[in-house]
Amino acid sequence: MSIVSGRQLAKYFGAQDVFSDVSFDMAHGDKVGLVGPNGAGKTTLVRLILGLEEPSQGSVHHARGLRIGYLPQQATLSSERTLYDEMLSVFAEVRQQQQTVLDLAEELAADPQNTELLERYARAEERFVLAGGYDYETSVRRVLGGLGFGAEAYDWPIGVLSGGQVTRALLAKLLLEQPELLVLDEPTNYLDLAAMEWLEAYLRDWQQSLLVVSHDRYFLDQVVNRIWEMNAR
């Protein structure tokens, strides 16, 4: 079953015919590379898929409630948080569950024979564990490290990051959010060789759907299982 599909899409800008008669389907778990020369309409098609633009003709359909994450070529990340706190914001619900467990543990320490309190603690801890509560900080450090951010960068405010660092920070946040469809437009632009190899390995294990726009055929060979090719008109 498709999570996103397009039927007979066309896009015009005035007299300029960007593309026409484009149809596609993406199923859960598909990993697609979108390739073609500059000017073929790759980014325009991505924007139609994301719902950021409307097609001149045709239609795009998403599965109900589909969560999409998008890394554009020119990334922005407006935040007053530090880099590490921005990553932790992905796990706000889990961190609230953690605080509930800590609060109940404190109450239980003061009243260890309270069976009702013990049951509440057990239920809260089970929810916390199932949500990955003991692993989320390890995941944050793993992803930041893989994309070239050492521990010394954790306290850097988002507002002082360079353009390339912002792109890598947004990519890290998207990977941690694990959207059902991850859309990456030229994700390797600001990555060194080590970070690129790490990302290749990470995306090979990605369990959700993936759409990657890239001119790097080797990178695509490592991470996708289907290719959509667009040709300039």
Side-chain angles (χ1 to χ4, degrees):
M1 181 177 178
S2 295
I3 61 168
V4 60
S5 62
R7 292 292 177 268
Q8 298 179 315
L9 294 173
K11 187 64 178 181
Y12 315 127
F13 292 106
Q16 181 186 7
D17 182 358
V18 182
F19 57 74
S20 61
D21 197 26
V22 171
S23 296
F24 64 86
D25 288 282
M26 280 192 72
H28 175 74
D30 275 350
K31 297 179 179 180
V32 177
L34 179 58
V35 302
N38 291 334
K42 300 186 298 297
T43 296
T44 300
L45 178 59
V46 165
R47 290 179 63 81
L48 296 186
I49 292 172
L50 295 169
L52 299 176
E53 294 185 23
E54 292 295 324
S56 302
Q57 293 180 7
S59 59
V60 176
H61 299 283
H62 298 113
R64 187 183 301 274
L66 180 68
R67 294 184 300 109
I68 302 177
Y70 175 44
L71 180 76
Q73 288 191 44
Q74 302 298 322
T76 59
L77 187 57
S78 298
S79 174
E80 296 182 357
R81 300 185 180 101
T82 65
L83 175 65
Y84 195 77
D85 285 345
E86 186 65 25
M87 300 304 114
L88 289 182
S89 71
V90 172
F91 303 98
E93 184 175 342
V94 176
R95 286 164 60 79
Q96 182 58 54
Q97 292 175 348
Q98 182 179 36
Q99 188 59 53
T100 298
V101 170
L102 293 174
D103 290 344
L104 287 170
E106 187 173 331
E107 292 182 45
L108 197 57
D111 188 7
Q113 303 305 317
N114 189 324
T115 55
E116 187 272 337
L117 192 57
L118 183 60
E119 291 174 1
R120 286 172 55 200
Y121 174 84
R123 290 195 299 270
E125 186 178 40
E126 181 180 17
R127 287 193 297 269
F128 178 62
V129 170
L130 290 174
Y134 288 114
D135 302 321
Y136 73 89
E137 291 198 76
T138 299
S139 297
V140 168
R141 291 191 292 269
R142 174 192 175 200
V143 170
L144 286 178
L147 292 175
F149 291 109
E152 74 283 354
Y154 289 178
D155 292 330
W156 293 352
I158 293 293
V160 305
L161 300 183
S162 68
Q165 289 170 334
V166 167
T167 298
R168 288 188 287 125
L170 179 56
L171 176 56
K173 187 175 181 181
L174 291 170
L175 295 178
L176 291 168
E177 287 174 340
Q178 296 193 336
E180 294 160 302
L181 172 58
L182 178 62
V183 181
L184 306 176
D185 196 347
E186 299 292 352
T188 62
N189 280 353
Y190 296 99
L191 302 182
D192 62 17
L193 181 59
M196 194 179 305
E197 290 177 346
W198 179 89
L199 182 62
E200 289 170 2
Y202 196 94
L203 292 178
R204 277 198 296 270
D205 293 335
W206 186 255
Q207 298 299 306
Q208 310 289 358
S209 299
L210 176 68
L211 176 61
V212 184
V213 182
S214 179
H215 289 92
D216 188 333
R217 293 302 183 104
Y218 178 81
F219 178 78
L220 291 176
D221 285 345
Q222 301 305 304
V223 303
V224 306
N225 51 33
R226 295 174 58 194
I227 292 290
W228 294 347
E229 185 169 6
M230 300 187 73
N231 297 308
R233 298 182 67 85

